[in-house]
Amino acid sequence: PAPRATPTTTTDDDDDDGEDKFDVIVLDALDPEDESDVADKLYTDDAFLGAMYDSLTPDGIIVAQVGTPPSIHDPRADRGIYDLRERMFLHLERRDETAAMLVYEETHCGFNEPHSFLVLCRSRDCRSRWYADDDRVDYWIRERIASTRGGGMSLVHYDGGTQRSFRVPPRAWETVYCRREPMPAECAYRGLDQSMAVFDFGRDDAAGEGNFEIRTVKE
């Protein structure tokens, strides 16, 4: 059987062909490390991935279950059991419409180990929501999610504090990502140079912003 995606929210806006676009598509099927024809098509079929992507509104997102998390001891992703997932990620990264790819892990899935999820955004605006303050996320939850009949919150394992824990990918994801060849340029900026004795932090408040730079000072 062909892989399936679930459209969860539609809009009133039509594309040029008169077809509805989707605000959110949830893709929840086999783990990429499962050896099956279905898993192979799900994670590597360019036509399927492209069609799913093209079905989104300009602000739409895809949420995909992408299997068990990597370990810091894993080899380069394309040489391990997560080769299918890596090929899927590379395909999505190459698309001009990709504005953000956000990965997080969740332990309350009913499995024996945590599972990983990918949030794929067509608009950079979703990054502001992803990195929003805890209280703002709590407000959105209370405003948009219906309460239980007893007046309690419907979401048991998710709130603003939970979202804050999703902001930064786990260390293993960063480690395996930076094992790509050639190494991604941003991997050169991980951590601080341990060979330096002093790190001079200087804020630039002239523009009213809180940006800062790190100047390494050798002995």
Side-chain angles (χ1 to χ4, degrees):
R4 301 178 63 187
T6 303
T8 59
T9 306
T10 60
T11 70
D12 294 330
D13 297 328
D14 295 335
D15 63 11
D16 294 338
D17 298 326
E19 298 179 353
D20 287 337
K21 297 287 189 176
F22 301 113
D23 291 319
V24 179
I25 295 177
V26 178
L27 181 63
D28 186 9
L30 298 174
D31 294 346
E33 60 266 32
D34 291 341
E35 295 183 3
S36 71
D37 293 338
V38 175
D40 184 71
K41 291 180 179 179
L42 179 67
Y43 291 97
T44 63
D45 189 324
D46 287 350
F48 170 69
L49 295 173
M52 183 171 59
Y53 210 135
D54 294 338
S55 298
L56 291 174
T57 61
D59 294 324
I61 67 171
I62 296 172
V63 182
Q65 191 271 108
V66 290
T68 55
S71 161
I72 60 173
H73 305 294
D74 286 348
R76 214 173 72 192
D78 61 345
R79 294 184 175 179
I81 62 173
Y82 301 113
D83 173 55
L84 293 181
R85 180 167 68 196
E86 178 72 354
R87 280 189 273 167
M88 175 189 184
F89 280 21
L90 290 172
H91 170 84
L92 297 174
E93 290 171 16
R94 287 193 296 265
R95 294 189 65 95
D96 294 335
E97 308 95 322
T98 300
M101 294 176 62
L102 307 163
V103 175
Y104 69 96
E105 295 178 7
E106 175 55 53
T107 60
H108 302 96
C109 301
F111 299 104
N112 293 328
E113 54 190 338
H115 268 57
S116 306
F117 297 85
L118 168 69
V119 178
L120 179 70
C121 307
R122 291 199 67 172
S123 170
R124 293 185 63 86
D125 290 343
C126 80
R127 295 178 64 88
S128 63
R129 296 190 294 272
W130 185 261
Y131 295 105
D133 294 335
D134 300 11
D135 54 352
R136 181 170 296 186
V137 174
D138 288 332
Y139 171 78
W140 289 334
I141 292 173
R142 185 169 294 276
E143 181 184 42
R144 304 185 63 178
I145 303 296
S147 301
T148 64
R149 291 184 178 181
M153 297 299 296
S154 300
L155 302 181
V156 178
H157 298 297
Y158 181 79
D159 60 8
T162 306
Q163 178 59 38
R164 175 159 45 86
S165 71
F166 293 160
R167 293 179 189 171
V168 180
R171 180 65 178 272
W173 279 95
E174 177 188 78
T175 301
V176 174
Y177 171 76
C178 290
R179 288 183 176 141
R180 285 182 175 181
E181 295 181 4
M183 186 179 72
E186 59 268 27
C187 293
Y189 298 96
R190 292 183 295 167
L192 298 176
D193 187 347
Q194 299 299 314
S195 66
M196 297 295 179
V198 178
F199 290 91
D200 183 14
F201 291 81
R203 289 177 59 106
D204 180 11
D205 294 324
E209 298 179 354
N211 296 329
F212 65 87
E213 63 176 337
I214 301 176
R215 298 185 295 272
T216 55
V217 180
K218 293 185 177 181
E219 291 182 326

